[in-house]
């Protein structure tokens, strides 16, 4: 059972465009939602994260939008660059329990020139 | 300056063999993890240790046995390797909470 659903599976965006990746979750006990970025041959690295008490968080060109009632959150990459080409994973965790990150299935982003 | 390191980086072996992957972190973290990433890039946690104590043990065949000799090390031993064990195995660590995890570079295991 996939507790965090992620879409699309792959995405091609032109340089300068906006990349949007969506995630939806089932467990209302989740209270922390990070995004990880993984370049080929490397381990995932934390990119940006949000808690459900805010609806949006922005760090540079990366923005998370969070809709608690819909149990959905999304990553927006503004002015996408070829260097952003990577696989992006959303994740969710209930920090109050013996916690583990539950990852989405990943989105492979390719930014073309 | 490597934060989380894994050895070996690549591991090619025959079915039925036993192999180990080592992980070390120099971040002073107290929690370490093993993840498996399959060919479709899906990341799934296998084990988690906090201060050398096992706290998460997902549904993993008992051929997989983690060992934490100290807080800075978490090794993964795999017995009787099978074709389906072929994957990339990532070690990760965090301090205090699960929220921010630092991943190692991965060990690419290929079972022939």
């Amino acid at each position: 059972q996939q507790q965090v659903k992620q879409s699309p599976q792959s995405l091609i965006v032109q340089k300068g465009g906006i990349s949007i990746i969506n995630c939806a979750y089932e467990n209302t006990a989740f209270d922390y939602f990070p995004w990880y970025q993984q370049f080929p041959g490397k381990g995932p690295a934390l990119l940006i994260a949000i808690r459900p008490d805010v609806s949006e968080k922005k760090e540079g060109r990366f923005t998370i939008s969070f809709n608690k009632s819909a149990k959905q959150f999304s990553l927006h990459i503004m002015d996408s660059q070829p260097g952003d080409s990577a696989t992006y994973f959303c994740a969710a965790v209930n920090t109050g329990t013996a916690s583990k990150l539950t990852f989405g299935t990943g989105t492979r982003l390719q930014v073309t020139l | 300056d490597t934060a989380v390191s894994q050895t070996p980086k690549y591991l090619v072996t025959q079915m039925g063999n036993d192999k180990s992957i080592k992980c070390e972190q120099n971040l002073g973290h107290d929690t370490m993890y093993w993840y498996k990433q399959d060919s479709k890039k899906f990341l799934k946690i296998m084990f988690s240790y906090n201060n050398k104590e096992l706290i998460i043990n997902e549904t993993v065949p008992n051929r997989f046995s983690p060992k934490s000799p100290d807080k800075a090390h978490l090794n993964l031993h795999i017995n009787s390797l099978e074709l389906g064990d072929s994957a990339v195995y990532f070690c990760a660590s965090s301090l205090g909470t699960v929220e921010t995890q630092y991943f190692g570079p991965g060990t690419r295991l290929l079972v022939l």
Side-chain angles (χ1 to χ4, degrees), chain B:
Chain B
D1 275 283
T2 304
V4 182
S5 59
Q6 294 179 228
T7 53
K9 189 169 183 179
Y10 299 97
L11 189 50
V12 181
T13 188
Q14 299 288 330
M15 263 196 326
N17 284 351
D18 303 338
K19 290 293 178 185
S20 292
I21 306 172
K22 295 185 177 181
C23 177
E24 177 181 3
Q25 55 92 6
N26 63 5
L27 297 167
H29 289 170
D30 55 3
T31 306
M32 296 184 73
Y33 312 82
W34 277 111
Y35 287 88
K36 180 180 181 180
Q37 186 171 48
D38 62 24
S39 58
K40 295 184 178 180
K41 296 281 194 181
F42 186 59
L43 266 171
K44 191 172 188 327
I45 190 165
M46 301 172 70
F47 303 102
S48 170
Y49 270 76
N50 177 264
N51 285 318
K52 302 193 325 179
E53 185 179 338
L54 180 66
I55 56 173
I56 291 176
N57 185 349
E58 290 292 282
T59 310
V60 176
N62 57 16
R63 299 181 295 103
F64 290 80
S65 53
K67 281 190 172 54
S68 181
D70 55 56
K71 284 198 307 183
H73 295 84
L74 180 62
N75 303 323
L76 183 65
H77 188 75
I78 315 170
N79 288 327
S80 303
L81 278 155
E82 300 178 355
L83 294 176
D85 297 332
S86 296
V88 182
Y89 292 84
F90 287 101
C91 177
S93 70
S94 66
L95 178 63
T97 70
V98 71
E99 299 171 2
T100 303
Q101 295 187 21
Y102 293 80
F103 283 76
T107 294
R108 284 143 190 84
L109 171 65
L110 178 60
V111 182
L112 302 174

Side-chain angles (χ1 to χ4, degrees), chain A residues 71-105:
Chain A
K71 293 187 287 185
Q72 295 175 347
F73 58 109
S74 59
L75 177 69
H76 291 63
I77 306 174
M78 312 300 287
D79 186 26
S80 298
Q81 299 296 313
D84 297 330
S85 297
T87 300
Y88 292 82
F89 293 92
C90 62
V93 64
N94 176 355
T95 59
T97 62
S99 316
K100 62 178 182 180
L101 284 175
T102 299
F103 283 92
T105 49

Side-chain angles (χ1 to χ4, degrees), chain A residues 1-79:
Chain A
Q1 183 184 1
Q2 184 61 38
Q3 290 198 53
V4 179
K5 295 182 180 179
Q6 184 172 347
S7 63
Q9 188 175 1
S10 63
L11 183 60
I12 300 175
V13 172
Q14 277 200 322
K15 180 182 174 183
I18 302 174
S19 304
I20 302 174
I21 305 170
N22 300 300
C23 285
Y25 62 96
E26 301 284 332
N27 187 348
T28 55
F30 287 148
D31 59 357
Y32 181 76
F33 302 87
W35 285 87
Y36 279 78
Q37 179 188 53
Q38 184 180 23
F39 291 107
K42 305 290 185 185
L46 179 65
L47 182 65
I48 187 173
I50 197 168
R51 297 188 188 280
D53 52 345
V54 296
S55 60
E56 186 175 282
K57 183 173 181 181
K58 184 175 180 179
E59 288 184 3
R61 297 183 293 108
F62 299 89
T63 300
I64 301 178
S65 298
F66 189 85
N67 185 330
K68 189 174 181 179
S69 60
K71 293 187 287 185
Q72 295 175 347
F73 58 109
S74 59
L75 177 69
H76 291 63
I77 306 174
M78 312 300 287
D79 186 26

